């Protein structure tokens, strides 16, 4: 049973509250289904550096590859464990993830460090306190994990 991407985009929009637009703004990664649930699969994606696809890839180390498990939605439940799939997601999701994981913490760190410059503390204390401000940020972020998860929607279909 083949499922069109457009029908799944509508499904994803309802369940994840993600506004999926043009296909040119989609990213895709091949992967292998590790576990299967009701309408959801866990897909193992192997990411490798750009040099690992060249003719000298035998000289590259194992550090050039990383494996990630991604939860992806499916419409047709004909996927089985071990099937090769393509995982799709919006390109703008990457920018959103970078914002939450790196940009906002950097701004918090930088502003805290600027504010602490006005105090008479040593450089070591200023740096330590600036880094300590990130602990509450990531704790608060973890409380909103389920809300953030709704905004990061990936889906899978059988590789052709």
């Amino acid at each position: 049973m083949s499922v069109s991407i457009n029908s799944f985009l509508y499904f994803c929009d309802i369940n994840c509250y993600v506004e999926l637009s043009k296909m040119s703004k989609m990213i895709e990664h091949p992967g292998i289904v590790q576990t299967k649930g009701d309408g959801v699969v866990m897909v193992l994606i192997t990411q490798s550096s750009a040099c690992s696809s060249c003719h000298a890839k035998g000289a590259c180390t194992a550090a050039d590859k990383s494996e990630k498990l991604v939860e992806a939605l499916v419409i047709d439940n004909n996927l089985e464990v071990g099937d090769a799939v393509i995982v799709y997601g919006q390109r703008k999701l990457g920018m959103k993830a970078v914002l939450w994981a790196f940009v906002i913490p950097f701004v918090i760190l930088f502003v805290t460090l600027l504010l602490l410059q006005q105090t008479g503390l040593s450089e070591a204390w200023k740096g330590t306190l600036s880094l300590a401000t990130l602990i509450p940020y990531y704790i608060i972020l973890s409380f909103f994990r389920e809300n953030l998860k709704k905004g990061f929607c990936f889906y899978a279909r059988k590789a052709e």
Side-chain angles (χ1 to χ4, degrees):
M1 169 198 263
S2 177
V3 176
S4 72
I5 291 174
N6 289 334
S7 65
F8 194 83
L9 296 179
Y10 179 73
F11 174 80
C12 189
D13 187 32
I14 291 171
N15 289 300
C16 295
Y17 311 112
V18 175
E19 184 182 316
L20 296 175
S21 56
K22 299 176 184 161
M23 285 304 293
S24 64
K25 295 184 180 184
M26 302 295 281
I27 55 173
E28 59 182 55
H29 289 285
I32 305 292
V33 175
Q34 297 296 303
T35 61
K36 177 184 174 183
D38 187 30
V40 177
V41 291
M42 293 298 286
V43 179
L44 180 68
I45 296 175
T46 303
Q47 295 178 325
S48 56
S49 64
C51 68
S52 67
S53 63
C54 76
H55 67 283
K57 68 180 176 184
C60 292
T61 64
D64 294 334
K65 292 185 178 182
S66 67
E67 293 181 336
K68 296 188 171 78
L69 271 177
V70 176
E71 183 178 302
L73 299 171
V74 293
I75 290 180
D76 53 345
N77 280 332
N78 64 353
L79 294 178
E80 297 298 329
V81 175
D83 283 351
V85 295
I86 303 293
V87 176
Y88 290 91
Q90 279 184 298
R91 188 175 302 275
K92 74 177 186 178
L93 291 180
M95 296 306 292
K96 188 176 175 182
V98 167
L99 176 75
W100 285 105
F102 300 110
V103 175
I104 293 174
F106 175 76
V107 169
I108 291 170
L109 187 77
F110 189 72
V111 168
T112 305
L113 192 58
L114 285 178
L115 292 173
L116 289 174
Q117 290 296 331
Q118 309 304 319
T119 66
L121 295 172
S122 70
E123 293 291 322
W125 274 108
K126 291 175 190 175
T128 303
L129 290 173
S130 294
L131 287 172
T133 60
L134 296 180
I135 295 170
Y137 171 75
Y138 283 112
I139 290 172
I140 292 169
L141 206 60
S142 71
F143 287 134
F144 294 101
R145 179 179 300 138
E146 290 304 315
N147 288 343
L148 288 171
K149 194 175 180 181
K150 289 178 185 175
F152 290 92
C153 181
F154 297 99
Y155 58 97
R157 68 173 175 88
K158 203 170 225 178
E160 297 165 358

